[in-house]
Amino acid sequence: MNMFWLLLLIFCYVGTGAGVRVSTRTRPSVVNIGSIFTLNSSIGKVAKVAIEAAVDDVNSNPALLKGTKLKLAIQAEQDTNSSGFLGIVEALQLMENDTVAIVGPQQSVMAHVISHIANELQVPLLSFAATDPTLNSLQFPYFVRTTQSDIFQMSAIAEIVGYYEWRDVIAIYIDDDHGRNGIAALGDKLAEKRCKISYRAPMRPNVGRNEITNTLLKVALMESRVIILHIQANWGLEVVDVARNIGMIESGYVWIATDWLSTVLDTESALPPAARDSIQGGLTLRMHTLDSKLKRKFVSRWSNLTGRLFGLNTYGLYAYDTVWLLAHALDKFLNQGGNISFSNDPRLTRFRGGNMHFDAMSIFDGGNMLLTNILEVNLSGVSGLMKFTSDRNLVGAAYEVINVIGTGFRRIGYWSNSFGLSVEPPEKLNEQVNHSHSNQLFGVVWPGQTIEKPRGWVFSSNGRQLRVGVPVRINFREFVSKVDGSDIFHGYCIDVFNAALAILPYGVPYKFIPFGDGKINPIFTDLLYKITTGDFDAAVGDIAITTNRTKMVDFTQPYIETGLVVVAPIQKRNSSAWAFLRPFTPMMWCVTGLFFLAVGVVFWILECRTNDDFCGPPRKQCVTILWFSFLTLFTAHREKIESSLGRFMLLIWLFVVLILNSSYIASLTSILIVEQLSYSVKGIESLITSNDRIGYQRGSSTENYLVDELNIHKSRLVPLDSEEEFEKALNDGPKKGGVAAIVEKRAHMELFLSSRCEFGIVGQEFTKTGWGFAFPRESPLAIDMSTAILKLSESGELQKIHDKWLARKACSLEEAKQDIDRLPLNSFWGLFLLCGSACVVALLLYLVQMVHQYMRLSGRGSQSCLSFVKEFLSFVKEKENRVHKSEAKRKRKSQKKAKPRDNEGRRYQMEES
């Protein structure tokens, strides 16, 4: 409202006391419309001809307004540098004539100001050239843009930048509403493509050549070489001319001009040679209009309208269609019974009298109704379909992408809000099922007459080397190490960095700068902070990519993946002498033994009546029962099974024995092997729940992870530097001031374990992450290096570098495995003792049996020990059958001797009797 009162004060000097004017005719003979533009601009002079031609065409069409004629009042500025103040005066002058709508204004700055007047007086503004996106806001309900908004033009530029894989651009613009708001929209659209405006170079309106030169010299010192020029046409050619003079229109630069350049090219038939040279290789946009019969007809009569003084640009097409759109809306307005009537604002009646005629300001009573009709128009014009979306933009936003070459230009593609970039016009793509030509552009001739796509950036300072910070490690020097007495570094990380730089399409001068005192490992967070302060331009080393670190710097693609592991001492246990009994519980042993006996009895019952093998004396039958059932555990039984029930029972029993045997072997194997090695901790979970101290590598990100993520108290953490400290802390253990385990990156720990077989990794790897090279935020070099690392990985070169530095013969892995595979005697001495005892008992029983048998057969009493031993050994050597024969012979002899004695005794008894 403050703006409105200010405008009223201005109106007091230019207005007249017109009073209240009311027209009650339903079909007036004349309807007043106005137009505001800058006459000597490329847009204004074309718009004047197009608007006048449209008014004539509408008035000559009796079917449209049915006798009502449009009366056009033009307020044209002669100077493009005129202030907005004069535009306000011109707008107020139009309101004196009962104007129902204004075609214009041309400039966005003026549209912002005049829209306040339009809101109060309810007079629609139909602008064919004010492209500022913020004019669509709810603040300006009576502003209607009848051309494309800059929001679409900036979307097209952002997609072009993303298509050519540039990440940073520089924006040069006039610092007014049109320039600021357009570049703000560009920044938003670039952010959607993960790009950004790295430097903004605003210039004041009415800028001079000296100021342009100073601005461009600052731009030349920036890293980015992609320049977006969003400016008015009268200053745009001046800017590119200065850029050519200071060497900025050459190979390596990219110039993308908004549609002001295409407007100049379309309008001006002959540009000066210097201007042509200044825009060579540049890209610009042109609003795409549908090739229709109406358009071709209008283009063909254009030379007659202008006398071939200047060409037709797209703003002229939209200016022509704006008049037709307004005419259709007025026709509908009148058909609905709308009256062209005006009334005074009752709020201004208190200002009556005096020399300041505030009460002369009149409000268009049908303004809101006419505005609604305007927004509902659906018209096919010379520019295409004139129809508004819900957000009051024209449908079918599309642009042509133009490359300036030689004395002309070439269309290299299209951009549309529906299909993005393409080499086919959007109306053709709309007819296709699969859009095979989308997201494409034809080749471009860039500044410097080169067809090779510019890189889009350079190093900001001339001749300065890239300062690369490298941590000076005191352990794990296979990754990064400094050659004593020199500034040379080598190691796995250094080789990967050098290899990636070598395949970049451009040279990068650099030097390594050591970071750290060489006594303790440096803190990597401090190293990365040096990049944010500008002390380093990059950092190379075994630097893990973490969330907190990505907030400070940008990392490349990881060149190695690794995670945290837990390393603890290996404790070797002595196996129990009776370990072979552990696979089965005591109850299992008892039940198994009883089943062996029971099954033997069952087989005896089933076979004893029909099978001779199960017959015989009771002693033999008992032995057969035990022998048959237990023998099935190891080998085939000797006795044959003849009955069908016995065979069925044997099949079931052999299956049971198979399961028991296999289970016993598997369980015993696992017990004897696994019990040899054990760890004091079971993994990260047991470390968290315990109170033992945990070691980590000083300077790494492990400390933050253990404290912040796992909530381990910092007092439990022990920073360690060298590998010797790792070893000593693990050997001492928590009871002697050491640590229970070390938590660190797998890559580090694999090197540590390669020569230390008494330690091992416990549990699974966790927190998978990677190492990358660090660069400043939004650095384009980080993107190029990421691409180079991917190429190294795909070519196999990255694996070769890994094998060179990190592929070790891990003694810990091989020797520990061999130690595990070799079972010690301690696990089996109980079994051997049992077997040996059985052997001794069996031999003793056999010896007693043999001595008893010898004594019984020999029948000799006292004799020398030597002779006894000799004869006994000879007896032992004799076969069992021979011994049995000798014993039988002896029995027969003794029986023969006994018979005569018996006969003699009988005779003696008989004689006595």
Side-chain angles (χ1 to χ4, degrees):
M1 292 299 295
N2 292 335
M3 177 65 71
F4 176 63
W5 297 116
L6 176 62
L7 298 177
L8 288 180
L9 291 175
I10 298 172
F11 180 75
C12 294
Y13 293 96
V14 298
T16 59
V20 179
R21 297 169 296 281
V22 179
S23 175
T24 58
R25 295 179 59 186
T26 57
R27 275 284 175 177
S29 59
V30 175
V31 176
N32 295 323
I33 63 172
S35 182
I36 302 175
F37 49 81
T38 304
L39 186 59
N40 65 347
S41 66
S42 298
I43 296 176
K45 60 186 179 182
V46 172
K48 180 179 181 299
V49 176
I51 292 172
E52 290 175 343
V55 171
D56 292 341
D57 292 344
V58 169
N59 289 336
S60 61
N61 186 350
L64 183 55
L65 290 175
K66 301 176 180 64
T68 301
K69 303 295 182 181
L70 296 179
K71 183 178 180 180
L72 177 66
I74 296 178
Q75 293 289 346
E77 301 176 9
Q78 297 296 324
D79 185 7
T80 56
N81 296 328
S82 61
S83 64
F85 173 79
L86 296 180
I88 298 171
V89 174
E90 293 166 354
L92 293 173
Q93 288 177 344
L94 289 175
M95 301 303 179
E96 298 176 13
N97 302 321
D98 294 342
T99 301
V100 299
I102 296 177
V103 179
Q106 172 187 330
Q107 297 179 2
S108 298
V109 175
M110 193 177 296
H112 274 276
V113 178
I114 299 178
S115 291
H116 292 281
I117 301 175
N119 290 345
E120 296 297 332
L121 302 183
Q122 299 182 15
V123 176
L125 293 179
L126 289 81
S127 179
F128 57 88
T131 57
D132 179 2
T134 62
L135 288 170
N136 279 61
S137 65
L138 299 176
Q139 183 184 8
F140 308 119
Y142 281 87
F143 176 84
V144 180
R145 181 185 288 108
T146 58
T147 187
Q148 299 297 344
S149 170
D150 273 345
I151 193 71
F152 301 113
Q153 182 172 208
M154 297 309 170
S155 297
I157 292 176
E159 190 141 352
I160 292 172
V161 172
Y163 174 78
Y164 288 111
E165 298 179 342
W166 298 315
R167 290 293 175 263
D168 292 349
V169 303
I170 295 175
I172 302 176
Y173 59 98
I174 296 297
D175 195 9
D176 58 11
D177 290 332
H178 173 70
R180 283 192 305 271
N181 295 332
I183 294 303
L186 175 63
D188 294 339
K189 295 301 179 180
L190 285 173
E192 294 176 4
K193 303 293 182 181
R194 301 188 67 181
C195 307
K196 68 181 180 65
I197 301 175
S198 60
Y199 182 72
R200 299 171 188 256
M203 295 184 290
R204 64 181 179 85
N206 305 322
V207 63
R209 191 174 181 89
N210 289 335
E211 185 179 347
I212 292 174
T213 302
N214 293 333
T215 301
L216 292 181
L217 288 175
K218 294 178 182 178
V219 170
L221 296 176
M222 300 296 107
E223 288 187 355
S224 178
R225 287 293 182 262
V226 181
I227 300 172
I228 311 299
L229 189 57
H230 183 51
I231 203 168
Q232 282 82 12
N234 55 318
W235 291 304
L237 293 178
E238 185 78 8
V239 170
V240 293
D241 183 64
V242 174
R244 180 180 60 85
N245 291 334
I246 63 177
M248 295 180 66
I249 310 294
E250 61 183 19
S251 181
Y253 280 90
V254 177
W255 286 83
I256 303 177
T258 51
D259 60 359
W260 67 263
L261 180 55
S262 64
T263 302
V264 171
L265 294 174
D266 290 335
T267 308
E268 309 301 331
S269 56
L271 288 177
R276 286 282 180 186
D277 294 341
S278 299
I279 59 178
Q280 290 300 304
L283 298 180
T284 185
L285 298 177
R286 176 204 282 157
M287 286 182 287
H288 175 64
T289 55
L290 186 65
D291 186 17
S292 62
K293 184 178 180 180
L294 286 174
K295 177 181 176 181
R296 289 192 296 269
K297 182 179 178 180
F298 184 70
V299 171
S300 65
R301 55 185 284 222
W302 182 256
S303 58
N304 296 328
L305 295 173
T306 62
R308 299 180 183 276
L309 295 177
F310 46 84
L312 174 63
N313 57 49
T314 53
Y315 287 103
L317 298 176
Y318 282 108
Y320 181 84
D321 283 344
T322 301
V323 176
W324 278 89
L325 184 147
L326 177 58
H328 279 272
L330 279 170
D331 184 58
K332 185 178 180 181
F333 172 81
L334 296 174
N335 290 336
Q336 293 172 344
N339 292 325
I340 307 299
S341 62
F342 296 85
S343 60
N344 288 337
D345 189 345
R347 295 173 297 178
L348 302 178
T349 56
R350 59 192 179 99
F351 294 107
R352 287 180 178 175
N355 296 324
M356 302 175 66
H357 302 285
F358 287 126
D359 56 344
M361 297 289 292
S362 57
I363 300 173
F364 178 31
D365 296 330
N368 188 43
M369 182 178 178
L370 178 60
L371 175 65
T372 302
N373 291 334
I374 289 172
L375 295 175
E376 292 176 352
V377 169
N378 189 347
L379 170 68
S380 294
V382 295
S383 62
L385 183 62
M386 298 291 288
K387 181 181 178 181
F388 296 97
T389 62
S390 59
D391 55 358
R392 302 172 66 165
N393 285 314
L394 286 180
V395 298
Y399 285 84
E400 299 173 6
V401 185
I402 294 173
N403 181 208
V404 181
I405 304 173
T407 59
F409 53 83
R410 183 171 68 99
R411 184 172 55 234
I412 62 171
Y414 300 85
W415 178 90
S416 66
N417 198 33
S418 302
F419 304 105
L421 295 175
S422 66
V423 295
E424 297 285 354
E427 59 269 16
K428 187 173 181 180
L429 289 176
N430 201 32
E431 299 173 356
Q432 298 177 0
V433 177
N434 57 342
H435 312 297
S436 57
H437 294 88
S438 61
N439 197 29
Q440 297 181 31
L441 290 176
F442 289 119
V444 178
V445 178
W446 304 100
Q449 300 298 310
T450 177
I451 60 174
E452 183 180 355
K453 185 196 77 171
R455 187 169 77 243
W457 68 278
V458 294
F459 291 106
S460 58
S461 55
N462 297 327
R464 186 175 68 83
Q465 293 179 318
L466 195 72
R467 296 163 300 176
V468 182
V470 182
V472 180
R473 300 191 59 91
I474 63 173
N475 62 352
F476 303 118
R477 296 171 63 86
E478 292 84 357
F479 296 106
V480 174
S481 63
K482 184 175 181 293
V483 178
D484 296 335
S486 69
D487 293 331
I488 300 175
F489 286 84
H490 62 186
Y492 170 70
C493 302
I494 301 297
D495 281 5
V496 173
F497 182 77
N498 290 334
L501 285 181
I503 63 176
L504 291 180
Y506 49 87
V508 180
Y510 68 95
K511 62 177 179 180
F512 291 129
I513 301 176
F515 178 77
D517 56 9
K519 298 179 180 178
I520 61 174
N521 286 328
I523 306 299
F524 285 168
T525 304
D526 297 341
L527 172 60
L528 299 179
Y529 180 75
K530 290 287 186 180
I531 297 178
T532 63
T533 59
D535 295 329
F536 292 145
D537 300 313
V540 173
D542 48 339
I543 305 173
I545 303 173
T546 64
T547 303
N548 290 333
R549 291 175 178 178
T550 55
K551 297 176 181 178
M552 302 171 58
V553 296
D554 277 354
F555 284 95
T556 62
Q557 172 81 15
Y559 57 88
I560 185 175
E561 290 188 356
T562 183
L564 294 178
V565 294
V566 178
V567 173
I570 298 176
Q571 298 177 351
K572 294 186 177 181
R573 295 180 179 178
N574 292 326
S575 298
S576 170
W578 307 101
F580 66 91
L581 295 176
R582 291 175 57 187
F584 290 164
T585 62
M587 180 61 70
M588 181 65 179
W589 281 114
C590 293
V591 171
T592 301
L594 290 175
F595 259 87
F596 272 98
L597 292 176
V599 168
V601 172
V602 170
F603 278 110
W604 174 77
I605 295 172
L606 295 175
E607 297 291 326
C608 65
R609 297 188 62 191
T610 60
N611 194 337
D612 294 338
D613 290 336
F614 288 84
C615 298
R619 178 181 176 186
K620 177 186 176 183
Q621 294 182 32
C622 291
V623 172
T624 300
I625 290 172
L626 297 175
W627 175 259
F628 178 84
S629 59
F630 282 98
L631 190 62
T632 55
L633 185 63
F634 309 105
T635 183
H637 50 84
R638 185 186 62 185
E639 294 78 5
K640 294 181 180 182
I641 302 299
E642 297 180 354
S643 65
S644 299
L645 289 176
R647 291 173 181 174
F648 172 75
M649 185 63 192
L650 179 63
L651 181 64
I652 300 299
W653 176 242
L654 289 178
F655 178 75
V656 172
V657 169
L658 174 65
I659 299 301
L660 290 174
N661 195 17
S662 301
S663 302
Y664 178 84
I665 293 174
S667 179
L668 181 61
T669 303
S670 175
I671 291 172
L672 294 179
I673 293 178
V674 173
E675 75 174 356
Q676 294 181 78
L677 298 180
S678 63
Y679 298 89
S680 57
V681 296
K682 302 302 181 184
I684 188 63
E685 293 80 8
S686 64
L687 277 179
I688 296 174
T689 56
S690 69
N691 293 321
D692 294 335
R693 303 208 308 169
I694 304 170
Y696 69 95
Q697 184 177 192
R698 188 191 303 273
S700 70
S701 59
T702 306
E703 178 186 9
N704 293 333
Y705 178 81
L706 295 176
V707 174
D708 299 336
E709 301 298 330
L710 301 183
N711 298 321
I712 297 176
H713 199 275
K714 196 171 183 179
S715 61
R716 293 178 55 195
L717 303 182
V718 180
L720 304 171
D721 288 306
S722 64
E723 297 177 57
E724 290 72 18
E725 290 186 15
F726 287 6
E727 184 176 4
K728 183 178 185 303
L730 288 173
N731 285 329
D732 290 345
K735 295 182 179 180
K736 297 182 180 180
V739 297
I742 293 176
V743 178
E744 255 310 324
K745 312 293 188 306
R746 174 177 283 276
H748 291 140
M749 292 297 96
E750 286 181 349
L751 284 178
F752 172 72
L753 296 175
S754 64
S755 57
R756 295 167 178 85
C757 306
E758 65 272 21
F759 309 114
I761 295 176
V762 183
Q764 298 295 323
E765 183 179 8
F766 56 99
T767 67
K768 199 75 172 181
T769 183
W771 296 347
F773 305 128
F775 292 91
R777 298 277 294 179
E778 308 297 338
S779 172
L781 188 57
I783 300 173
D784 291 349
M785 286 291 285
S786 294
T787 304
I789 290 171
L790 289 175
K791 291 180 179 178
L792 288 175
S793 178
E794 292 170 356
S795 65
E797 187 64 26
L798 195 60
Q799 185 62 40
K800 293 179 181 178
I801 299 175
H802 178 276
D803 295 341
K804 172 185 175 182
W805 290 99
L806 306 181
R808 296 291 188 85
K809 292 181 179 179
C811 82
S812 61
L813 298 178
E814 295 299 330
E815 294 180 6
K817 185 177 184 302
Q818 291 177 5
D819 289 342
I820 293 175
D821 291 341
R822 296 171 180 171
L823 297 175
L825 178 62
N826 294 339
S827 301
F828 300 97
W829 73 265
L831 188 63
F832 290 137
L833 176 62
L834 180 62
C835 182
S837 300
C839 293
V840 171
V841 171
L843 289 175
L844 288 176
L845 292 176
Y846 180 73
L847 181 61
V848 171
Q849 181 182 3
M850 294 301 294
V851 170
H852 175 71
Q853 190 177 22
Y854 171 75
M855 294 298 295
R856 189 175 55 187
L857 291 176
S858 63
R860 297 179 181 178
S862 61
Q863 58 180 333
S864 64
C865 292
L866 182 59
S867 59
F868 176 80
V869 172
K870 288 181 179 181
E871 291 184 5
F872 178 74
L873 291 177
S874 299
F875 174 77
V876 171
K877 291 179 181 181
E878 293 182 359
K879 296 291 184 180
E880 184 71 16
N881 55 356
R882 294 178 60 186
V883 173
H884 288 304
K885 290 180 180 180
S886 299
E887 187 175 1
K889 185 178 180 180
R890 182 184 61 80
K891 288 182 178 180
R892 286 195 298 269
K893 288 182 179 180
S894 60
Q895 291 176 357
K896 289 180 180 181
K897 291 179 179 180
K899 286 180 179 180
R901 292 194 186 117
D902 293 340
N903 293 331
E904 290 179 359
R906 291 192 190 99
R907 285 196 304 265
Y908 177 74
Q909 291 176 358
M910 291 176 63
E911 289 178 355
E912 286 186 350
S913 59

